[in-house]
Amino acid sequence: MAEAMRCRAFPAGIWLLAVVLVSLSGGRAAAQVGFDSVTHQAGSGTGWVATGDFDSDGARDFVVCNEDSDDVSVFLNDTAGGFSLTSTIPVGVGPRCVAVADVDNDGILDLAVANGYDNTVSLLVGDGVAGFELQQIIPIDFLSVAIALADLNNDGEVDLIASSIASVGVSVLLGDGAGGFGLPEFYDGGEWPHALAVGDLNGDGALDVVTANGFDFMFSVLLGDGSGGLSAPAQYSTLTGPVAIALGDLNGDAALDVAIANVGSNSVTVQVGDGTGDFTPQSSFVSEFLPRAVALCDLDNDGSLDAISGNYNSDEVMVRLGSGTGYFGSPATFPVAELPWSIGTADFTGDGYNDLVVAGAAGEVTVLINEGADPVAFRRGDASGDGVVDINDVFVGISALFVAGAAVASCDDASDVNDDGRIDIADSAYLASWLYTLGAPPPPTPYVSCGADPTSDALRCDGLVSCP
């Protein structure tokens, strides 16, 4: 399992219904997934966000680093996806990243915070009721900006991994299972390893480390030996300014792949793993306005990982649904906290759908609760929603595509007349052919009667009056 290193801001308490619209090639925007969102005030200079159940109530909470105020903010979940700031805990100077794990084997989650400007990690032990106490301050390399907690030597205890942009490498501190860590062992990485992720890249049962190297436009792979050691880095080219990285199986071959946010080239690149620790470029897509963060998770419950990137200069996250082949669909954007810096994923409401939490560098955090995708009955071809499939639906489809300000159907599945998962001019042509060409095929099911969509796609239906 991979451990990733891991709408414009709205006032706290104001809920916004954000329905995602994505521009399909050659067609109009079409809904994919939807979120309710709320933005909370955190500290000053908010950066990394991490999730976990801090008060033992079974619901996922989150914690964020506040680089300018030298503390972390803990937000507790009311078990329904509502959050409140519970505590602010002082740490070291310039906290850049936080990781969550049970480091002392008491069954309670703890926090490790990388303090970029005083060369330390603050270890905060949890009490199981959302309280944290500073247990120790661990010396580490200067400007350590990314951190992870994972078992690198297969002894069942949590170890600490950190990357430093000053020493251009990765430090490993082996854990003793009681909350203590050994001296750091340093490994070469790449130039300015700004982010890291941990996962078994070559299927040998030992965790490996990847870093995104902002200055040399590379990502580095350091294979683990199962005893806590790492190999010399193998480096792979990416685009300009890689600053965030995530691991996941994007093409269904059971090997981990990598997604990298490249802030200098406004892009996210995907490289597929072959299961031996080697990678091959697969795809790249535009993520406008300085993508500073990237995350992978299944948002629409289709079994394929989706890509989420944070656009620093537009105060948005961009969502692209995955196809299960390593390629992604058209983008959808959501406004979030100002200057989005990091993205966390978890099911905050317990409904089986992954939600998002986005930390912005201006001191706010946006929680986006996934609306899910309940089946809705519709009649294919009835774009107007009047209960009749006729020439009027052809005109509605064409107008929605090409006439500014034209009404848009409330059910995208109904407008997808040929059931190809896209809304474009081919749908209006298909319907016109069916209506006026002898022997032309009718629209696919559900037609003529109402029903749920039998095919899996990224389109949604908000319901039709004509289909109860």
Side-chain angles (χ1 to χ4, degrees):
M1 178 177 292
E3 180 182 338
M5 278 301 303
R6 338 157 221 33
C7 276
R8 210 159 295 276
F10 294 96
I14 303 289
W15 283 89
L16 169 75
L17 175 61
V19 178
V20 180
L21 298 179
V22 292
S23 179
L24 295 176
S25 176
R28 73 163 176 86
Q32 293 189 20
V33 291
F35 293 96
D36 293 328
S37 71
V38 66
T39 295
H40 303 271
Q41 186 65 44
S44 178
T46 302
W48 197 259
V49 61
T51 69
D53 181 7
F54 303 139
D55 56 353
S56 308
D57 65 352
R60 296 289 288 272
D61 313 302
F62 68 85
V63 58
V64 293
C65 292
N66 303 309
E67 182 177 351
D68 295 341
S69 52
D70 299 333
D71 51 33
V72 296
S73 298
V74 177
F75 288 81
L76 291 187
N77 189 343
D78 64 5
T79 73
F83 287 87
S84 58
L85 175 60
T86 303
S87 61
T88 300
I89 306 166
V91 288
V93 181
R96 295 292 299 269
C97 190
V98 59
V100 176
D102 178 10
V103 301
D104 53 4
N105 285 320
D106 63 353
I108 297 170
L109 292 178
D110 311 302
L111 307 178
V113 182
N115 304 304
Y117 300 132
D118 67 3
N119 314 343
T120 66
V121 170
S122 298
L123 183 63
L124 306 171
V125 295
D127 60 9
V129 290
F132 292 92
E133 181 180 354
L134 179 65
Q135 174 172 303
Q136 62 176 306
I137 298 174
I138 305 169
I140 204 165
D141 288 324
F142 182 55
L143 288 179
S144 291
V145 295
I147 191 171
L149 295 171
D151 181 10
L152 285 186
N153 60 350
N154 287 335
D155 66 349
E157 315 299 349
V158 174
D159 309 310
L160 190 154
I161 309 102
S163 65
S164 165
I165 60 176
S167 56
V168 295
V170 174
S171 296
V172 174
L173 295 79
L174 299 181
D176 63 9
F181 292 89
L183 295 176
E185 188 73 28
F186 182 80
Y187 299 90
D188 290 332
E191 291 293 326
W192 207 61
H194 198 279
L196 67 84
V198 179
D200 184 3
L201 303 176
N202 57 358
D204 64 352
L207 292 178
D208 312 303
V209 177
V210 293
T211 63
N213 308 322
F215 278 176
D216 60 10
F217 311 154
M218 301 274 189
F219 73 94
S220 298
V221 174
L222 294 81
L223 297 179
D225 61 10
S227 61
L230 299 175
S231 69
Q235 294 194 317
Y236 298 85
S237 295
T238 182
L239 298 180
T240 307
V243 293
I245 193 166
L247 291 173
D249 179 10
L250 299 176
N251 57 359
D253 64 353
L256 290 178
D257 311 305
V258 63
I260 303 169
N262 306 292
V263 70
S265 54
N266 289 333
S267 65
V268 173
T269 53
V270 172
Q271 299 213 16
V272 295
D274 65 0
T276 70
D278 195 18
F279 289 86
T280 303
Q282 169 86 358
S283 63
S284 178
F285 54 82
V286 172
S287 186
E288 297 175 321
F289 308 112
L290 304 183
R292 179 57 190 75
V294 67
L296 298 172
C297 74
D298 184 2
L299 292 174
D300 56 353
N301 281 3
D302 66 348
S304 298
L305 292 178
D306 309 310
I308 309 101
S309 56
N311 294 333
Y312 189 78
N313 272 11
S314 64
D315 306 336
E316 296 172 320
V317 291
M318 180 175 286
V319 174
R320 290 177 182 259
L321 296 185
S323 64
T325 64
Y327 295 94
F328 295 86
S330 301
T333 56
F334 297 93
V336 291
E338 186 179 359
L339 307 177
W341 188 265
S342 66
I343 302 168
T345 65
D347 179 4
F348 291 131
T349 62
D351 65 352
Y353 285 90
N354 281 311
D355 309 303
L356 305 176
V357 56
V358 182
E364 294 177 320
V365 184
T366 297
V367 177
L368 298 105
I369 301 298
N370 197 333
E371 291 181 305
D374 294 330
V376 175
F378 68 97
R379 179 181 290 103
R380 196 175 301 281
D382 185 14
S384 65
D386 63 359
V388 179
V389 177
D390 55 20
I391 189 62
N392 182 51
D393 299 299
V394 176
F395 293 146
V396 168
I398 293 174
S399 296
L401 288 170
F402 300 112
V403 178
V408 176
S410 62
C411 181
D412 295 299
D413 281 309
S415 299
D416 181 21
V417 182
N418 60 3
D419 195 21
D420 65 352
R422 298 161 53 91
I423 298 176
D424 51 28
I425 191 62
D427 296 301
S428 295
Y430 189 109
L431 184 55
S433 177
W434 159 243
L435 291 172
Y436 298 107
T437 303
L438 186 64
T445 302
Y447 178 85
V448 177
S449 299
C450 294
D453 193 356
T455 57
S456 177
D457 56 40
L459 304 181
R460 291 191 61 191
C461 184
D462 294 329
L464 293 172
V465 174
S466 60
C467 288

